[in-house]
């Protein structure tokens, strides 16, 4: 299965996934509502990173930060910092490149928001097993069919990639050449499409038969083998998080935070 | 328990009927083996018995198929599914995709039937143990070998304990040990009153475990009877069904004059040993 989840024994892992999801959404709402760049940065430094360290996924988070986010932040800084069209307070100039305070603030704002969004989501994904997420969401009232679509796309798609590889292997075994230039390789992949698509269509048929044979959707209230704890403290915590986010948005809208 | 009367079915846009004038009776609590050549319509028949044809398949359907006294085409698929459990041919497609461990996968059908949790745990553990799946319970169902997946697919239906169980080539990817486990489980279920229909190519296994055999050819059931009588039938190969090595050996012995033509043809190991043994003595 291709998810980023890391198995650890930590308080963050043990949290009900719905709580983590609400926290993530609250963070996203706040960082995009508040105009000050230091708010998202503060959330990253004082909430997201400590959570990752507590969950013992800090190393992986750092690696993902370096691979995914850092290049983007550098580009953002160069483009917006030096070439911000509305920049007036010039700090440094070289040819057409002008480092302006406005450009710097703009790139900091976007960069810190992006960091809070991406890093927060990563901590969520790194510490939340998809199965627990699905169970907790269905426990919270999400429909089993929607849960199925999400789970299936997490699992069946990698399984189909596996199948694509085995079809390719079978065709190579019968003399299909896939070495050579990119164009040639792309052409060589064409024969893969028909068996894969046809296979998927017949699969859907048989799969739906198998699902119905196991009474999927037969009752509106299925029971569940796995149960995710949802203590009162977490439920209160979720309401507080949601209320905080709502309060911040209201304060921004009425102009108290500007 | 299962009664098919003059059943016919043609897939949509197909040039001919896949099944026509088909009659089949399976007594309650027995194991019926279905044999037939590739493309003879075994899977189609399985879907009819399980109520999926005509309800989920277009095309032309005629006749009546009833299970436990209820005509399937008159009820809903959910009603049919409660009575008949179907294990389809390809194990990969039976993994729901909705669950992340084998344990949850096995519980999936029970959850959908709103079975209480403690009971669910017990049933899952029991079935997993009988099919040798206990060490795999915490693995992802997609990280299994073909044979293991097949055992999971069978287990996930057995755990629902339907009164009728239809299995479409359930041991096609299993090793002899896995195959034995499956047939042991089926034997025990049948002793407990479950009616079982099994589609299988391995004649010898069917001979050993089934109470009756039906041969599907030309869209009809062309022969039914005990495994010993059906598998010794001279027309077996014309129906596209393989005879056991023992029957082959006995036929060979007959043509060489080593075995009198009056001697019934053996099918399994023990009746084979008996026939060859007595003949050896008389010589
Ligand atoms: N969805 C379909 N649409 C049209 N024709 C079909 C469909 N499914 C099966 N058939 C045809 O119906 C006939 C019987 O198919 P079926 O799958 O029942 O055979 P089978 O006995 O199970 O074969 P096998 O041993 O290969 O599994 C075949 O000729 C097949 O081509
Ligand atoms: Mg078939």
């Amino acid at each position: 299965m291709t998810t980023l989840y890391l198995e650890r024994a930590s308080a963050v892992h043990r949290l009900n996934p719905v709580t983590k999801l609400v926290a993530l959404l609250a963070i996203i709402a706040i960082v995009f509502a508040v105009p000050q760049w230091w708010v998202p940065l503060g959330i990253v430094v004082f909430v997201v990173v400590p959570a990752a360290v507590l969950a013992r996924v800090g190393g992986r988070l750092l690696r993902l930060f370096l691979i995914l986010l850092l290049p983007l932040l550098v580009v953002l800084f160069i483009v917006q910092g030096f070439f911000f069209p509305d920049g007036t307070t010039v700090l440094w100039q070289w040819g057409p490149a002008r480092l302006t305070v406005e450009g710097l603030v703009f790139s900091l704002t976007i960069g810190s928001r992006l960091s809070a969004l991406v890093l927060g989501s990563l901590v969520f994904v790194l510490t939340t097993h998809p199965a627990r997420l699905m169970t907790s969401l269905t426990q919270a009232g999400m429909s089993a069919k929607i849960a199925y679509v999400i789970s299936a796309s997490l699992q069946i798609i990698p399984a189909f990639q596996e199948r694509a590889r085995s079809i390719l292997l079978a065709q190579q075994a019968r003399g299909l050449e896939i070495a050579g230039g990119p164009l040639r390789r792309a052409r060589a992949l064409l024969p893969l499409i028909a068996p894969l698509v046809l296979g998927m269509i017949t699969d859907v048929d048989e799969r739906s038969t198998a699902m119905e044979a196991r009474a999927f959707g037969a009752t509106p209230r299925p029971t569940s083998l796995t149960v995710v704890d949802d203590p009162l403290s977490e439920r209160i915590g979720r309401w507080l998080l949601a209320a905080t986010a709502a309060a911040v948005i209201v304060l921004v809208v009425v102009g108290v935070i500007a | 328990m299962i009664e098919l009367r003059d059943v016919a079915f043609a897939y949509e846009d197909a040039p001919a009927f896949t099944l026509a004038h088909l009659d089949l009776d399976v007594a309650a609590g027995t194991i019926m083996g279905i044999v037939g050549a590739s493309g003879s319509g075994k899977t189609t028949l399985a879907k009819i018995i399980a109520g999926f044809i005509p309800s989920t398949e277009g095309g032309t359907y005629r006749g009546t198929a009833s299970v436990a006294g209820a005509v399937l085409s008159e009820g809903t698929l959910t009603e049919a599914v409660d009575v008949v459990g179907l294990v389809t041919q390809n194990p990969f497609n039976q993994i729901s995709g909705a669950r992340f461990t084998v344990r949850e996968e096995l519980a999936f059908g029970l959850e959908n039937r709103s079975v209480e949790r403690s009971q669910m745990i017990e049933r899952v553990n029991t079935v997993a143990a009988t099919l040798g799946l206990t060490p795999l319970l915490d693995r992802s169902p997609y990280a299994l070998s073909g044979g293991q997946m097949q055992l999971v697919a069978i287990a996930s239906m057995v755990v629902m304990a339907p009164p009728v169980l239809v299995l479409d080539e359930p041991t096609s990817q299993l090793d002899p040990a896995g195959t034995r486990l499956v047939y042991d489980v089926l034997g025990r279920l049948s002793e407990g009153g479950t009616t079982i229909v099994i589609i299988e190519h391995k004649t010898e296994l069917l001979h050993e475990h089934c109470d009756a055999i039906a041969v599907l050819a030309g869209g009809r059931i062309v022969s039914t009877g005990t495994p010993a009588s059906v598998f010794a039938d001279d027309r077996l190969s014309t129906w596209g069904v393989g005879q056991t090595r023992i029957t082959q050996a006995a036929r060979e012995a007959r043509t060489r004059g080593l075995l009198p033509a009056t001697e019934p043809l053996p099918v399994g190991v023990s009746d084979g040993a008996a026939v060859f043994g007595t003949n050896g003595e008389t010589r």
Side-chain angles (χ1 to χ4, degrees), chain B:
Chain B
M1 189 68 171
I2 302 172
E3 265 185 40
L4 269 55
R5 289 286 169 272
D6 203 21
V7 165
F9 182 73
Y11 283 98
E12 214 162 353
D13 302 325
F17 275 81
T18 295
L19 302 175
H21 304 299
L22 187 143
D23 294 289
L24 181 70
D25 287 275
V26 184
T30 61
I31 305 185
M32 163 72 84
I34 308 271
V35 291
S38 292
S40 59
K42 301 183 296 295
T43 298
T44 311
L45 175 60
K47 285 189 174 176
I48 289 173
I49 298 173
F52 283 88
I53 291 177
S55 75
T56 65
E57 190 78 59
T60 317
Y61 174 83
R62 282 194 228 120
T64 49
S66 49
V67 174
V71 178
L72 294 173
S73 54
E74 289 170 2
T76 65
L77 182 58
T78 312
E79 285 163 7
V81 159
D82 268 348
V83 183
V84 189
L86 173 67
V87 177
T88 59
Q89 207 163 350
N90 182 346
F92 175 79
N93 290 335
Q94 277 169 91
I95 305 299
S96 68
R99 296 294 179 266
F100 292 78
T101 62
V102 169
R103 188 192 306 279
E104 295 170 308
E105 181 67 29
L106 296 187
F108 182 67
L110 299 175
E111 294 177 332
N112 292 332
R113 277 264 135 265
S114 306
V115 173
E116 202 224 324
R117 182 158 177 267
S118 57
Q119 209 192 337
M120 197 146 58
I121 293 171
E122 195 191 309
R123 277 162 77 171
V124 166
N125 288 339
T126 310
V127 170
T130 54
L131 284 169
L133 292 170
T134 309
L136 303 178
L137 280 176
D138 291 309
R139 294 262 291 275
S140 158
Y142 285 105
L144 300 177
S145 76
Q148 292 170 331
M149 243 187 222
Q150 192 152 37
L151 285 174
V152 169
I154 295 165
S156 62
M157 193 47 73
V158 167
V159 78
M160 295 179 76
V164 177
L165 199 53
V166 179
L167 304 106
D168 194 352
E169 299 188 31
T171 65
S172 59
Q173 302 192 30
L174 297 180
D175 63 5
T179 305
R180 181 138 305 281
L181 282 180
V182 170
Y183 274 95
D184 284 350
V185 168
L186 295 183
R188 248 172 288 152
L189 287 174
S190 139
E191 275 163 27
T194 307
T195 308
I196 295 168
V197 175
I198 181 162
I199 293 166
E200 172 77 75
H201 286 296
K202 297 168 199 145
T203 319
E204 239 180 288
L205 276 174
L206 291 178
H207 174 255
E208 196 180 326
H209 296 280
C210 292
D211 300 302
I213 301 294
V215 183
L216 190 57
R220 304 183 303 119
I221 300 293
V222 289
S223 172
T224 49
T226 62
S229 66
V230 172
F231 291 141
D233 197 302
D234 292 333
R235 296 164 295 177
L236 205 60
S237 59
T238 62
W239 294 327
V241 179
Q243 45 189 348
T244 67
R245 307 277 294 169
I246 290 141
T247 315
Q248 280 173 27
R251 276 190 208 283
E252 182 69 31
R254 243 190 206 176
T255 52
R256 292 191 199 170
L258 299 173
L259 203 66
T262 49
E263 195 79 51
L265 285 168
V267 177
V269 174
S270 63
D271 49 338
V275 167
F276 292 124
T278 49
N279 206 44
E281 274 162 29
T282 52
R283 267 210 309 171

Side-chain angles (χ1 to χ4, degrees), chain A residues 203 206-207 214 219 223 225, chain B residues 93 105 111-112 115 117:
Chain A
D203 271 354
E206 197 179 340
R207 188 178 297 282
R214 287 159 76 192
T219 39
T223 47
L225 178 73
Chain B
N93 290 335
E105 181 67 29
E111 294 177 332
N112 292 332
V115 173
R117 182 158 177 267

